[in-house]
Amino acid sequence: MSITVRPAAEHEVPAAAAVLAEAFADDPVLRAFRPARSNEDRVLVLTDLFTALVRSVPPASRALDVAVEDGRVVGAAFWQAPRPHAGGALAFLRQVPAFLRTLGVGGALRAVRHLGRMDRARPEAPHWYLAEIGVAAVARGRGVGGLLLEHALDRVDGRGEDAYLESSTPQNRRLYRRHGFGDGAPITGLGAARPVSMWRPAATATR
């Protein structure tokens, strides 16, 4: 079966979140925010968390792309538009119960501190921010991540805008470099995790 990449419908947010949850279950940065607990279904818990994360950004200020094969979501990429996000505070407040349910009070406070450190590393120049990208285990090794990036970056390039992300593994950084991102500085203060900031200038600025 061929894989199609397209914008997600609103009803597909949980399916996309489930793919991200599977992909990030062992991610070192996420483990710093939300350590694994004994006897829990971590993917199920993280599906709720990623659903809340997506919906904490107003629809007009986000882009959620999905890779679909035979009607099943096998990849997802969640982008945030250049700030400010109109209605962002209200959208976030609506998801606070879900954040508290999945993280607990202590975990939520940890997440706020850690996300604050990552946010301070973001460039001040307007940019599209790749918050999350992941591929289901059944579709890995088939270039799905690259297809998701190409789909989104075509959209970003069409607008003549910059893009930014953080990468926590050397393997992922190689993929991002192939799509025009350059390495920045490591982000510290996240425990054992040391994600690296990566910047991709607008296509018009590279010609």
Side-chain angles (χ1 to χ4, degrees):
M1 292 287 182
S2 62
I3 293 174
T4 301
V5 176
R6 56 169 173 75
E10 184 63 26
H11 74 270
E12 292 176 308
V13 170
V19 169
L20 294 172
E22 179 189 341
F24 280 84
D26 295 318
D27 180 73
V29 175
L30 185 54
R31 281 188 175 274
F33 294 178
R34 175 48 164 81
R37 300 171 185 169
S38 60
N39 301 320
E40 73 172 0
D41 185 333
R42 183 162 174 80
V43 171
L44 184 62
V45 171
L46 295 182
T47 296
D48 288 344
L49 178 60
F50 280 111
T51 299
L53 282 171
V54 171
R55 289 179 171 160
S56 70
V57 178
S61 298
R62 71 182 189 230
L64 180 65
D65 299 321
V66 289
V68 180
E69 182 177 39
D70 196 24
R72 176 184 177 184
V73 175
V74 296
F78 170 41
W79 293 80
Q80 297 178 16
R83 295 183 290 193
H85 299 158
L90 180 59
F92 177 81
L93 287 173
R94 286 173 174 162
Q95 300 306 316
V96 166
F99 290 136
L100 291 175
R101 183 173 63 249
T102 56
L103 297 172
V105 174
L109 292 174
R110 269 197 313 276
V112 168
R113 289 195 300 270
H114 291 171
L115 289 172
R117 292 187 183 98
M118 296 175 73
D119 191 67
R120 287 192 292 274
R122 286 176 61 174
E124 293 185 4
H127 59 271
W128 280 87
Y129 172 51
L130 178 56
E132 317 289 352
I133 184 170
V135 178
V138 296
R140 288 175 197 159
R142 298 169 57 190
V144 176
L147 291 174
L148 285 163
L149 281 173
E150 289 168 8
H151 179 84
L153 292 173
D154 282 347
R155 180 172 60 229
V156 172
D157 287 345
R159 299 174 178 180
E161 294 175 319
D162 303 323
Y164 172 81
L165 58 85
E166 306 103 1
S167 175
S168 55
T169 69
Q171 180 180 359
N172 289 344
R173 286 195 285 280
R174 288 193 290 271
L175 171 65
Y176 299 137
R177 290 185 196 113
R178 290 199 297 271
H179 287 83
F181 286 87
D183 289 13
I187 302 170
T188 59
L190 301 173
R194 288 181 64 84
V196 172
S197 61
M198 302 190 76
W199 178 259
R200 183 181 187 271
T204 53
T206 62
R207 293 173 182 164

